[in-house]
Amino acid sequence: MTLARSLPDDPAEWWILMGVLVLYVVARWFFAWLHARREGDDHPMRAAIAEEDEPGTEVAGGFRSYRQFSGFVGSAVAVFLVAALTEGRLRVVLLCVMVPLLVTGLSYLDFRQARKARQGA
């Protein structure tokens, strides 16, 4: 018996992982689109997609702020506690509600940090 978890064997688990990544990207684009729309941009969708291509927005590794680090660690702890302390349908329901909310919150923190970096540069 090992305590380490391997990569998913079930295709459904791979779809769940891909869904989390897609949710993060879509939420990040949504926040950028909403910001461009509020600023009165003629093409807010183009501005949202082009936001990632701007120079100076790359991450060299690690977290850009303590808020991002705290959000990541707090989210991981919350998911771990729910997964460890619950079982059955309750676990599935709690994780199906919590994970999208936490991923969207983390994407908002990343968007806000990137916007702050662009305004400061």
Side-chain angles (χ1 to χ4, degrees):
M1 181 170 118
T2 61
L3 296 177
R5 185 169 164 93
S6 66
L7 290 174
D9 296 330
D10 187 17
E13 291 179 19
W14 281 108
W15 283 110
I16 291 169
L17 289 175
M18 292 300 294
V20 169
L21 292 174
V22 167
L23 175 64
Y24 175 84
V25 170
V26 168
R28 182 81 188 263
W29 280 344
F30 172 75
F31 293 131
W33 172 81
L34 191 62
H35 179 69
R37 190 168 158 235
R38 285 181 182 161
E39 285 186 342
D41 197 336
D42 292 336
H43 301 285
M45 190 53 145
R46 280 190 211 153
I49 293 173
E51 177 187 66
E52 300 297 324
D53 298 333
E54 291 179 8
T57 59
E58 309 89 26
V59 179
F63 297 96
R64 293 184 193 157
S65 73
Y66 71 91
R67 287 186 184 113
Q68 287 178 314
F69 179 72
S70 301
F72 182 78
V73 170
S75 298
V77 168
V79 168
F80 174 77
L81 287 175
V82 167
L85 299 177
T86 60
E87 56 187 46
R89 288 184 180 172
L90 178 62
R91 177 187 292 171
V92 172
V93 169
L94 284 175
L95 289 177
C96 286
V97 170
M98 280 180 51
V99 169
L101 291 175
L102 294 173
V103 168
T104 304
L106 287 175
S107 70
Y108 179 71
L109 283 176
D110 288 347
F111 163 74
R112 229 178 71 189
Q113 190 67 27
R115 184 180 67 186
K116 209 182 285 183
R118 274 193 310 277
Q119 289 174 349

